[in-house]
Amino acid sequence: MKIQINGRWYEAREGEMVLDVLRREGIDVPALCAHEAVEPYGACRLCMVEITHEDWGGWKGNVTSCLYPVEDKLIVQTHTEDIIELRKTVLNLLLARCPNSPEIQKLASEYGIDTTSFVPREDADNCIMCGLCTRVCTQMGFNAISVAGRGYGREIATPLKEAPPDCVGCLACVKICPTHHIQYEDIGTTREIWGRQFELVKCKQCGKALITREFADYLIENRDIPADYFDICDDCKRSGTARDFKKLVHWEEKEEAEEEVSA
Ligand code: SF4
Ligand code: SF4
Ligand code: FES
């Protein structure tokens, strides 16, 4: 099927959301709470676009592109005056929530907002409450963190704000966070995240710290990964393979040379 975006036609696949096509085609629409690793949720409202269709009798409306499924001949506009105003309002609010976040400052400034017109949050952190961290943790099967509190006081937290027993220290929440709000620390072979400490498994060849024991065990048990997979790091595996190839190449060269001599 085809959809029209800003006057040009693009291929779209059944089951995709409008945002998937925008991203694939490199059409710039801010979308802070959408990530291909998790189900869309529609939390940030930044990805709003205008849609219409030749069969809709002139009706048009604004929708969140991360949640709106494509349909044949859908007509999308990404930067109408209305949409830009909506994004500016959202960014203005986000800047009040997270005035010190470089990511939010940059995005807001792209829309001409350098200072929020709302009252900035006191003791503000950089969490925009996009929910990517909780969704990725839940989708991976851990459920170690969740949203706690209400209104401006809402935050991502562990149960009873204590070291979460269900966390495996995988860092998926850290890596997916668009504002780098979630902190962790690796010191030697110890990882600390969400107030919990983990021992890291070390590569048996080079000694590099690889992954928490808990996450390695989870992957071995649930993802059909061989029990010795985490014994050796990827770099050592690669150099082992390279050494094997070198032996093979030299062995073949030796074979050829011996054949030439005997001929
Ligand atoms: S590090 Fe812990 S909280 Fe973060 S995604 Fe992994 S299991 Fe969940
Ligand atoms: S910690 Fe990061 S990923 Fe989680 S809700 Fe806040 S901004 Fe989103
Ligand atoms: S990316 Fe669509 S609402 Fe956030």
Side-chain angles (χ1 to χ4, degrees):
M1 72 174 87
K2 285 194 186 298
I3 67 170
Q4 193 193 84
I5 305 169
N6 300 337
R8 271 189 63 186
W9 289 98
Y10 296 88
E11 281 299 328
R13 299 170 201 137
E14 191 69 43
E16 280 188 315
M17 300 296 148
V18 171
L19 183 64
D20 297 326
V21 185
L22 295 172
R23 283 184 162 170
R24 187 169 59 244
E25 299 299 341
I27 298 163
D28 187 28
V29 165
L32 287 178
C33 72
H35 190 284
E36 62 269 22
V38 296
E39 293 297 316
Y41 179 58
C44 75
R45 321 304 287 176
L46 283 168
C47 70
M48 298 283 279
V49 293
E50 183 192 271
I51 53 159
T52 188
H53 195 284
E54 60 186 20
D55 297 341
W56 292 356
W59 185 88
K60 51 174 112 164
N62 297 333
V63 296
T64 42
S65 60
C66 64
L67 287 173
Y68 199 87
V70 293
E71 61 186 278
D72 198 29
K73 298 197 184 130
L74 188 73
I75 298 169
V76 180
Q77 288 290 338
T78 61
H79 286 76
T80 65
E81 268 180 40
D82 263 13
I83 293 290
I84 290 172
E85 276 315 305
L86 273 168
R87 287 197 197 124
K88 280 183 171 178
T89 306
V90 173
L91 287 165
N92 202 350
L93 283 162
L94 283 178
L95 206 51
R97 183 176 172 89
C98 303
N100 307 315
S101 159
E103 290 80 11
I104 299 304
Q105 286 168 352
K106 182 168 175 289
L107 197 50
S109 141
E110 284 168 19
Y111 279 77
I113 301 167
D114 294 319
T115 324
T116 177
S117 59
F118 297 102
V119 181
R121 192 165 51 132
E122 280 176 26
D123 302 326
D125 58 28
N126 289 345
C127 175
I128 58 167
M129 294 305 296
C130 68
L132 280 172
C133 54
T134 52
R135 279 180 283 153
V136 78
C137 187
T138 302
Q139 277 185 223
M140 288 178 70
F142 304 126
N143 277 311
I145 49 176
S146 59
V147 178
R150 284 166 178 268
Y152 250 29
R154 278 194 317 151
E155 61 176 342
I156 303 298
T158 57
L160 304 172
K161 299 204 176 176
E162 288 174 2
D166 296 329
C167 179
V168 294
C170 68
L171 300 189
C173 53
V174 173
K175 289 178 187 156
I176 208 167
C177 177
T179 54
H180 305 103
H181 170 62
I182 304 171
Q183 305 296 312
Y184 80 100
E185 200 168 22
D186 280 355
I187 300 175
T189 56
T190 306
R191 168 168 299 163
E192 183 165 339
I193 181 165
W194 296 112
R196 187 167 163 195
Q197 289 203 333
F198 297 89
E199 241 346 88
L200 293 165
V201 175
K202 286 196 294 181
C203 170
K204 284 185 177 163
Q205 277 183 19
C206 70
K208 191 163 71 185
L210 287 176
I211 183 172
T212 63
R213 180 73 267 161
E214 287 80 352
F215 191 33
D217 287 346
Y218 170 83
L219 292 173
I220 290 163
E221 272 171 38
N222 298 284
R223 298 286 195 272
D224 231 8
I225 289 177
D228 61 353
Y229 185 82
F230 298 108
D231 286 358
I232 296 170
C233 73
D234 286 347
D235 288 345
C236 288
K237 277 182 199 144
R238 264 195 298 278
S239 47
T241 311
R243 270 196 305 276
D244 290 345
F245 273 124
K246 197 173 165 194
K247 269 191 227 153
L248 194 64
V249 167
H250 285 304
W251 176 79
E252 279 182 351
E253 281 170 356
K254 202 170 140 228
E255 286 275 290
E256 277 169 16
E258 279 171 6
E259 274 172 23
E260 273 172 29
V261 169
S262 60

